[in-house]
Amino acid sequence: MARKVAIYTRISRDDEGEGLGVARQREDCERLVDLRGWSLAKIYEDNDVSAYKRNVRRPEFELMLSDLASGLIDGVVSYDLDRLARQPKDLERVIDVFDSRKRLTFATVTNDIDLSAADGRTMARVMVAFANKASHDSSRRIRRKHLELAMSGKSSGGPAPYGWQKDDPNKVDREAASHIRAAQKEILAGVRIGTIRRRWHEERLGHPREGTKRIAHHHLEHMLTNPRLCGYRTYHGEILLNDNGEPVTGEWETINTVKEWEAVCAAVAERKKGGTGAGRPVGRKYLLSGIARCGLCHTKIRGQINQRWQPGSKASKYSYQCSVVNGGCGKVGRVGEPVEDLIIDLVLEEQRKKAAEDGSPVEVRWPGEAEFQTVSDDIKALTAAANAREITVSSLLQVLPDLERRRDELKLERARFLRELKRAESIAEGIKNREDFRDLPIERQQSIILHSLSAVSIHPAGRGRRIFDPDLIEPIWRE
């Protein structure tokens, strides 16, 4: 009875995605199976999968080992030994299977190696060791090439990131760039990335990866905070610095200025910390939840659905109610829509008046700019002096860590300052009336309210009163 063997094919890179490399291996292996008079039971194929990288799992290789061990197949044919293994540990796993099952067959198109014999195993170990070294040397040369490209501000290849043209990754895609800048403004105005992600999915923005339904949250966050946006070159996820300690800039067109990019990164970082300072409310379903307070006990009031409401009914859909469960007195409540409409109108009117009083915008400068420039210049001068051997490296390292620490502190302060400045500029941009306001994401609505108000006090209406009285709604304006 003919032995049941399987074919294993693998190629590390399939840039065209057509599987031509593994197809050629399969044809040669099939001819060898026919010549030996074996029966082909199965074909295992790991296309575009590395056997050298330790963190890469080869699913078909794992399945092949399992089938060998369980007796479903009696041997393996591969084009060459390095197609099967480039890491010694993978070869040892194959040898362990050959130890557990005697008389297994292994053959390659290029040369035969008997893994059931000691001499064959020794030869296989030597060949895999050389293949591993060749992969290591190649990887080292590629890393060195990519580092050289990075230091010169060039791209290392690959598809153009979202925001740049597909056929020319050095030129900005104006339409995509406008979507990125609009999303960044929303972040500065308090909108969560999850909300932006849902909108991008509906509008089919961001080039989600093939086979996925929508863009992932961390992918969108990276798109909006990518150092490439302001021209910084990265290497292995970190901003690359030159010999003077300054960021390496790329040769592509930029979408943001450095200060704009720092402001967005600061806003994202602050939200990740979970803080909810002024102008940064947590996501809520109702506009005044946590902003409204009871006029009797001053406890925070939250919105709640009206259980009696039905579509088409005249009853209010939701209300703001002081709750005993939340530590309140339970004596104050008000239907939601009139209260919100009143507060929205008051806030928009106040912001219009303030804009008219301010007149033409005045350039606001960060107070720490002079100190930041001085510290940066000192670091640059000391580094240049050490490179020119005017001072010793030991002398440089005596003072450099403190200067770098102060520079990083000032950079963070600048980012926070710019974040607040940009947030104030964009918070009510483009809003003319209550309808425009209602069209905004709930996070941005809350940010606009908190930009002007610190709280809204709802006073009791008394028994039997049904007519909405705006005098019982007291806005607490920020000073």
Side-chain angles (χ1 to χ4, degrees):
M1 182 176 179
R3 298 183 65 78
K4 296 181 298 181
V5 299
I7 292 174
Y8 178 79
T9 62
R10 181 193 65 80
I11 194 169
S12 297
R13 291 189 61 177
D14 182 13
D15 294 331
E16 292 79 17
E18 297 178 357
L20 299 179
V22 289
R24 288 189 292 269
Q25 293 178 31
R26 183 171 61 248
E27 291 174 1
D28 291 344
C29 290
E30 286 173 346
R31 280 196 292 270
L32 179 60
V33 171
D34 290 340
L35 287 173
R36 300 289 176 90
W38 295 328
S39 172
L40 180 58
K42 191 172 182 180
I43 297 176
Y44 303 90
E45 180 182 296
D46 280 320
N47 187 38
D48 202 21
V49 180
S50 171
Y52 170 71
K53 296 179 180 177
R54 294 177 179 272
N55 60 340
V56 173
R57 183 180 183 274
R58 292 185 283 161
E60 290 293 289
F61 175 77
E62 299 295 334
L63 180 59
M64 180 202 67
L65 286 181
S66 175
D67 290 349
L68 268 176
S70 63
L72 294 178
I73 54 177
D74 299 323
V76 177
V77 176
S78 186
Y79 182 80
D80 193 89
L81 181 61
D82 68 357
R83 298 301 90 197
L84 187 71
R86 272 186 176 262
Q87 285 291 351
K89 65 176 183 178
D90 288 337
L91 176 63
E92 294 303 325
R93 293 176 64 195
V94 176
I95 292 175
D96 288 342
V97 175
F98 274 71
D99 268 341
S100 64
R101 288 192 64 205
K102 303 302 181 183
R103 298 189 62 198
L104 286 178
T105 298
F106 178 72
T108 66
V109 174
T110 53
N111 55 355
D112 275 350
I113 297 174
D114 186 2
L115 292 181
S116 61
D119 289 345
R121 294 178 182 183
T122 300
M123 180 60 67
R125 288 177 175 127
V126 171
M127 293 174 67
V128 168
F130 272 98
N132 180 270
K133 183 179 184 304
S135 293
H136 175 76
D137 292 342
S138 176
S139 175
R140 175 171 49 80
R141 287 192 297 269
I142 291 172
R143 288 198 304 270
R144 183 66 185 86
K145 176 185 176 182
H146 285 175
L147 178 58
E148 183 180 351
L149 290 172
M151 290 299 294
S152 62
K154 298 181 183 297
S155 174
S156 297
Y162 184 70
W164 285 267
Q165 297 178 14
K166 291 184 179 181
D167 56 349
D168 189 349
N170 289 335
K171 291 186 178 180
V172 167
D173 181 333
R174 302 302 172 190
E175 182 178 356
S178 67
H179 294 310
I180 289 175
R181 283 191 287 264
Q184 290 175 330
K185 281 188 176 182
E186 289 184 288
I187 288 176
L188 293 169
V191 180
R192 293 177 296 171
I193 289 179
T195 302
I196 300 171
R197 175 172 167 252
R198 286 192 294 272
R199 178 172 61 79
W200 276 36
H201 171 62
E202 293 171 358
E203 298 177 6
R204 304 182 66 84
L205 302 176
H207 301 330
R209 292 185 175 181
E210 186 176 353
T212 60
K213 292 184 178 179
R214 63 176 65 197
I215 186 172
H217 185 282
H218 64 279
H219 287 158
L220 179 56
E221 179 182 316
H222 177 69
M223 285 181 189
L224 302 179
T225 59
N226 189 351
R228 179 186 172 95
L229 293 166
C230 66
Y232 285 165
R233 182 64 165 89
T234 58
Y235 185 70
H236 289 179
E238 300 290 336
I239 296 176
L240 192 63
L241 304 179
N242 60 22
D243 293 338
N244 294 326
E246 298 177 329
V248 175
T249 55
E251 56 185 14
W252 53 82
E253 295 179 357
T254 61
I255 293 176
N256 292 140
T257 65
V258 172
K259 292 183 179 180
E260 289 172 342
W261 173 77
E262 287 181 348
V264 175
C265 291
V268 172
E270 288 293 327
R271 182 170 284 280
K272 281 185 175 180
K273 290 180 181 178
T276 54
R280 296 188 63 256
V282 297
R284 298 189 180 104
K285 186 176 181 179
Y286 303 101
L287 176 61
L288 299 180
S289 285
I291 300 174
R293 288 184 176 269
C294 174
L296 291 179
C297 65
H298 310 298
T299 301
K300 287 183 177 181
I301 295 178
R302 301 188 181 279
Q304 59 186 33
I305 191 72
N306 187 346
Q307 299 297 331
R308 294 178 297 177
W309 179 82
Q310 296 292 334
S313 68
K314 295 182 178 180
S316 176
K317 185 176 181 179
Y318 58 95
S319 62
Y320 290 98
Q321 182 69 45
C322 181
S323 173
V324 177
V325 175
N326 294 328
C329 63
K331 297 179 180 179
V332 174
R334 198 75 85 251
V335 293
E337 293 91 335
V339 176
E340 290 185 355
D341 288 346
L342 173 66
I343 295 301
I344 291 170
D345 291 342
L346 290 174
V347 167
L348 292 181
E349 181 61 26
E350 186 267 347
Q351 291 184 359
R352 278 192 290 267
K353 288 181 179 178
K354 188 174 182 181
E357 292 173 358
D358 290 344
S360 58
V362 178
E363 183 182 2
V364 181
R365 294 180 60 85
W366 174 51
E369 189 66 54
E371 183 183 359
F372 176 78
Q373 191 61 51
T374 299
V375 173
S376 299
D377 290 343
D378 288 346
I379 293 174
K380 188 186 304 184
L382 286 168
T383 304
N387 291 336
R389 299 190 177 184
E390 296 174 0
I391 61 173
T392 64
V393 174
S394 177
S395 299
L396 173 69
L397 296 181
Q398 292 293 327
V399 294
L400 190 60
D402 289 338
L403 287 172
E404 289 178 333
R405 192 177 301 111
R406 181 55 183 161
R407 178 199 60 190
D408 294 341
E409 290 173 354
L410 290 168
K411 187 180 290 186
L412 181 60
E413 290 177 12
R414 181 177 70 177
R416 288 172 175 165
F417 175 85
L418 293 170
R419 178 204 66 198
E420 291 303 316
L421 184 63
K422 294 293 182 181
R423 186 184 68 82
E425 292 175 354
S426 63
I427 196 163
E429 185 179 8
I431 303 171
K432 299 178 181 179
N433 49 45
R434 191 194 303 165
E435 288 70 27
D436 291 341
F437 183 93
R438 289 290 194 184
D439 288 338
L440 300 175
I442 186 66
E443 303 98 330
R444 190 171 174 191
Q445 293 181 24
Q446 293 166 340
S447 290
I448 294 172
I449 296 298
L450 286 172
H451 188 64
S452 296
L453 301 178
S454 57
V456 174
S457 185
I458 301 178
H459 298 284
R463 291 183 178 275
R465 300 192 63 176
R466 294 291 183 267
I467 301 175
F468 177 73
D469 186 357
D471 291 337
L472 298 177
I473 311 300
E474 181 186 1
I476 311 300
W477 300 98
R478 291 192 181 275
E479 298 180 357

